[in-house]
Amino acid sequence: MTQTFPIEALKKKATPYYYYNIELLRQTLDAVKAEVSKHDNYFVHYAIKANANPVVLKPIMKAGLGIDCVSGGEITASLKAGFPADKIVFAGVGKADWEIEMGIDNNIFCFNVESIPELEVINEIAQRKGKVVNICLRINPNVGAHTHANITTGLSENKFGIDMAHMFDVIKMANEMSNVSFQGLHFHIGSQILEMDDFIALCHRVNELQDKLDAQGIKVKIINVGGGLGVDYDDPIGNPLPPLKEYFDVYNTHLKLRAGQELHFELGRAIVAQCGSLITKVLYMKDNTNKKFAIVDAGFTELIRPALYGAHHKIMNLTSNGPQDTYDVVGPICESSDTFDTDIKLNEVRRGDLIAMLSAGAYGEAMASCYNCRKLPKGYSSEDIMAE
Ligand code: LLP
């Protein structure tokens, strides 16, 4: 399927806004399900941090995926969207007491615990409530990933997870606590990873740790390898689906699961990135001596990835067939970093043209801010847009 835009319908909405191609989302979900259904012990939790708009949550929930949350607000959004509590996993280095209470009160499936003090607090709160809660320990595997430094999480210098050297002590502590039930190990090495070798390195690390656990007679029911699978930002039209088969095959080939073990995944970007585009309008054209600026009405308030991670989102002029020229596409925010891309080729850009920034379904709307007292962008499903 190729990404097409219902241009006349898009013109009717006030810009800037997010447009979600639900048909492409469904195709992506079908492809995920096709891979996962080859194994009766594989479970995928959608990482809701990537996008919590109800129009994307609905098809994801209907596809039967679980959900990965990192805040009380995300738990609320998941429950509201209809995800069953027993498919919610809850990670994060800084869970507040109220968020832990909320998870316990709603009987979520599992807490992914990131430190000893957090483990103690969860046990204490669960005790107060007379409950026993499932926990996995998030282990920092010290495995690097070929991605932007800001989205690498699995190195020992990163704040995430429990040091491998402390794994046995923490398992022992958890097993001695009365109100937590130790279920397994959780990992996550980073995001926008397209080199399968990085995931293979994680598999090898998990295998090593499992060998050590076996030697101590410790049984683990759950292995959760997090998310991180990347998408093609350079050619989203030609390559709208992430390399799901390669990704799941890596785990099937390289991870040595023990009998009865479940393998959990937490995919965010791979599921929603390509279905979303930021739609913005050209406010002004400005010709300087060396540059042609297309000043659009979206800024890093709507899509912060280029400013924060140096990301490049493919940009298309939806309403022009004019001769190509070279432009810098910039927003209205009062900071030089409010630049979507520089020296890119676009069909002749004029005031009023509609511009699409592709692959923006993940970490786009979800990371929007109100800087400069701007309004948060709306996000519309293709189905709603077409029905109007
Ligand atoms: N699980 C855990 C524990 C995570 O921290 C993350 C992402 C995921 C799963 C989902 O990762 P994904 O499959 O989406 O790669 N804002 C950044 C990405 C931050 C990712 C944070 N953690 C960006 O726009 O590139």
Side-chain angles (χ1 to χ4, degrees):
M1 133 138 215
T2 50
Q3 175 82 281
T4 51
F5 292 92
I7 295 169
E8 289 312 311
L10 293 177
K11 278 184 189 167
K12 292 186 191 146
K13 293 280 179 204
T15 52
Y17 62 89
Y18 276 89
Y19 166 73
Y20 297 110
N21 180 338
I22 300 300
E23 185 51 34
L24 178 54
L25 174 58
R26 287 212 186 91
Q27 288 189 16
T28 312
L29 289 164
D30 286 348
V32 171
K33 281 196 293 183
E35 292 307 319
V36 170
S37 63
K38 294 177 187 165
H39 313 269
D40 57 9
N41 58 340
Y42 281 21
F43 301 89
V44 175
H45 304 264
Y46 165 62
I48 187 175
K49 63 173 81 67
N51 191 325
N53 189 313
V55 305
V56 301
L57 292 183
K58 200 165 146 200
I60 296 171
M61 186 270 295
K62 285 200 169 148
L65 269 59
I67 197 135
D68 161 39
C69 296
V70 289
S71 72
E74 288 190 352
I75 294 176
T76 305
S78 306
L79 293 170
K80 204 166 156 205
F83 286 88
D86 63 6
K87 285 187 179 175
I88 297 179
V89 294
F90 183 16
V93 288
K95 300 179 187 77
D97 292 18
W98 70 267
E99 294 177 307
I100 294 172
E101 296 213 12
M102 185 180 192
I104 296 176
D105 290 343
N106 283 291
N107 300 315
I108 65 165
F109 171 58
C110 192
F111 287 81
N112 291 327
V113 177
E114 307 226 9
S115 68
I116 295 172
E118 181 195 330
L119 180 65
E120 288 169 340
V121 170
I122 293 176
N123 185 55
E124 200 182 291
I125 297 177
Q127 197 165 30
R128 207 182 329 123
K129 292 179 180 288
K131 289 197 174 173
V132 176
V133 303
N134 287 339
I135 59 126
C136 280
L137 297 177
R138 177 168 180 179
I139 304 295
N140 186 321
N142 198 18
V143 168
H146 294 88
T147 187
H148 192 277
N150 287 10
I151 49 175
T152 299
T153 51
L155 289 173
S156 52
E157 70 209 43
N158 300 133
K159 68 180 175 181
F160 300 99
I162 293 166
D163 202 296
M164 277 185 293
H166 303 151
M167 181 178 76
F168 282 110
D169 290 345
V170 187
I171 293 176
K172 189 163 173 282
M173 278 180 73
N175 281 334
E176 283 166 2
M177 289 176 174
S178 52
N179 295 77
V180 297
S181 169
F182 171 63
Q183 298 290 312
L185 304 178
H186 173 239
F187 306 87
H188 177 72
I189 56 171
S191 201
Q192 181 52 19
I193 299 169
L194 283 168
E195 293 201 20
M196 294 301 137
D197 283 354
D198 294 341
F199 297 118
I200 294 174
L202 174 63
C203 290
H204 290 159
R205 177 68 83 214
V206 177
N207 292 340
E208 271 171 36
L209 294 174
Q210 290 240 72
D211 288 344
K212 290 186 182 167
L213 292 173
D214 284 350
Q216 302 278 324
I218 297 171
K219 294 240 177 309
V220 164
K221 184 173 164 208
I222 292 173
I223 297 291
N224 182 333
V225 289
L229 177 63
V231 300
D232 191 341
Y233 282 95
D234 298 330
D235 185 15
I237 303 277
N239 234 346
L241 294 184
L244 292 161
K245 184 176 176 346
E246 290 87 326
Y247 175 74
F248 285 104
D249 280 354
V250 160
Y251 286 99
N252 190 35
T253 309
H254 296 276
L255 191 68
K256 294 187 199 129
L257 288 180
R258 307 321 195 227
Q261 276 186 336
E262 294 177 0
L263 182 57
H264 292 244
F265 300 86
E266 300 170 343
L267 293 177
R269 186 189 320 264
I271 293 173
V272 291
Q274 300 295 31
C275 77
S277 302
L278 175 61
I279 308 295
T280 176
K281 198 176 270 179
V282 179
L283 294 174
Y284 301 105
M285 296 307 300
K286 179 152 83 175
D287 280 10
N288 282 4
T289 322
N290 309 318
K291 288 272 186 194
K292 278 194 166 76
F293 291 103
I295 303 169
V296 298
D297 64 2
F300 69 44
T301 38
E302 283 73 37
L303 180 63
I304 202 172
R305 302 195 68 261
L308 196 56
Y309 313 111
H312 297 275
H313 286 256
K314 189 171 172 53
I315 299 179
M316 287 169 66
N317 188 343
L318 298 180
T319 48
S320 167
N321 292 319
Q324 283 210 334
D325 206 342
T326 304
Y327 300 94
D328 281 16
V329 179
V330 301
I333 307 297
C334 298
E335 305 222 13
S336 297
S337 62
D338 189 31
T339 295
F340 289 108
D341 218 333
T342 54
D343 298 323
I344 56 160
K345 294 254 182 288
L346 290 173
N347 287 345
E348 183 188 18
V349 183
R350 304 144 311 178
R351 172 174 162 84
D353 275 340
L354 219 49
I355 301 283
M357 311 214 178
L358 276 60
S359 315
Y363 308 109
E365 188 182 350
M367 294 180 79
S369 77
C370 297
Y371 184 44
N372 286 187
C373 290
R374 287 166 63 82
K375 286 202 186 100
L376 286 175
K378 292 201 163 99
Y380 303 107
S381 79
S382 45
E383 288 162 356
D384 290 344
I385 290 247
M386 298 306 281
E388 280 169 18

